[in-house]
Amino acid sequence: MKKALFIFCLLILLSSCSKKKQKESNPIKTETSLKTTLNLDENSVLKEWVNYYNTKDTSFSIEQFVFSRADTLILSKGNVYGLFDKEFDTIYKDFLVFNKDKQSYIDFDSYNWSIDDDKGVMFSPDQEINWVDIKNKTVNRIDFKGPSQWVEEAFWKNDSTIILLENTVEKKPIITEIKLHEKRITTFEYKKNVVFESEYTTMRLVNKGMMID
């Protein structure tokens, strides 16, 4: 009886190891690049961002971004004013990123910088990225960046998906996809660090009339 029980347990163990090995050799498929999810020619914002990096490094391409991690989106109350608030500073209006029906927008500027007495831009070390729903008058924080990482640009892939184009102090470009309805954040990182300091944020602000010291 004991021998039969031993053989039975051994068979279960071997079966479990076999399944584990099979799972490791055939992992769950995960999006490994952005090539199939983002079309450079269909979005002018993405194209401008990539073109900027291309002027610094001709080998830079969307195909070089690979899956890094997936996280759950946790919404929290944002710390900026919405268009519907009387306290909203109209200096930021040209920097809001609206979705197609103009009922929602992304605000990644108003927490990050302000205007000094000389009309120049003063930057905060932190950046809050907010999704503002105009119809429901809500401001939800969907991401937050400290001094080591920042969003340079953003756009709507569709009415429920936001794309953030980022960089870091290590000069590692990042693309983050935020699916609002699915409450999912997917991060893609560039395969290597770039060798130049990105001044995309400065260029973006100057192109919209801001003064940068």
Side-chain angles (χ1 to χ4, degrees), residues 7-177:
I7 293 174
F8 178 72
C9 292
L10 182 61
L11 288 173
I12 291 177
L13 179 62
L14 290 173
S15 176
S16 176
C17 290
S18 176
K19 288 180 179 178
K20 183 178 180 182
K21 186 175 181 180
Q22 183 178 11
K23 185 177 180 181
E24 290 175 347
S25 61
N26 297 287
I28 296 173
K29 288 186 177 180
T30 306
E31 185 63 56
T32 56
S33 77
L34 287 168
K35 185 177 180 180
T36 57
T37 60
L38 290 179
N39 189 326
L40 195 63
D41 294 323
E42 290 182 356
N43 190 280
S44 60
V45 173
L46 176 62
K47 190 171 185 176
E48 182 178 355
W49 187 73
V50 171
N51 285 346
Y52 170 80
Y53 278 80
N54 275 146
T55 64
K56 308 291 185 179
D57 179 356
T58 56
S59 67
F60 186 87
S61 70
I62 288 294
E63 287 80 1
Q64 298 301 310
F65 284 84
V66 295
F67 173 84
S68 173
R69 65 184 183 276
D71 302 291
T72 300
L73 171 63
I74 300 175
L75 299 178
S76 59
K77 182 177 174 55
N79 295 294
V80 301
Y81 293 113
L83 267 176
F84 40 78
D85 293 313
K86 63 181 181 180
E87 297 91 346
F88 178 79
D89 190 336
T90 57
I91 193 70
Y92 301 112
K93 192 171 183 179
D94 290 340
F95 296 91
L96 306 179
V97 181
F98 288 89
N99 67 347
K100 189 175 181 179
D101 67 8
K102 306 293 185 182
Q103 293 303 301
S104 290
Y105 65 83
I106 311 160
D107 180 355
F108 62 97
D109 282 287
S110 60
Y111 188 93
N112 184 232
W113 56 266
S114 58
I115 302 298
D116 62 23
D117 293 338
D118 297 320
K119 307 299 181 182
V121 174
M122 297 186 303
F123 287 96
S124 163
D126 299 321
Q127 184 181 39
E128 188 172 279
I129 298 86
N130 287 284
W131 160 42
V132 183
D133 185 328
I134 297 175
K135 181 179 179 181
N136 295 306
K137 295 185 177 182
T138 57
V139 178
N140 287 294
R141 187 172 82 180
I142 57 175
D143 208 344
F144 186 88
K145 309 296 181 184
S148 64
Q149 186 174 340
W150 57 91
V151 174
E152 295 185 314
E153 191 60 277
F155 65 91
W156 293 82
K157 183 179 177 182
N158 54 52
D159 276 348
S160 64
T161 304
I162 295 166
I163 303 294
L164 305 178
L165 308 176
E166 311 170 34
N167 206 332
T168 71
V169 293
E170 291 85 12
K171 303 174 185 176
K172 171 79 75 173
I174 293 173
I175 295 180
T176 301
E177 180 182 64

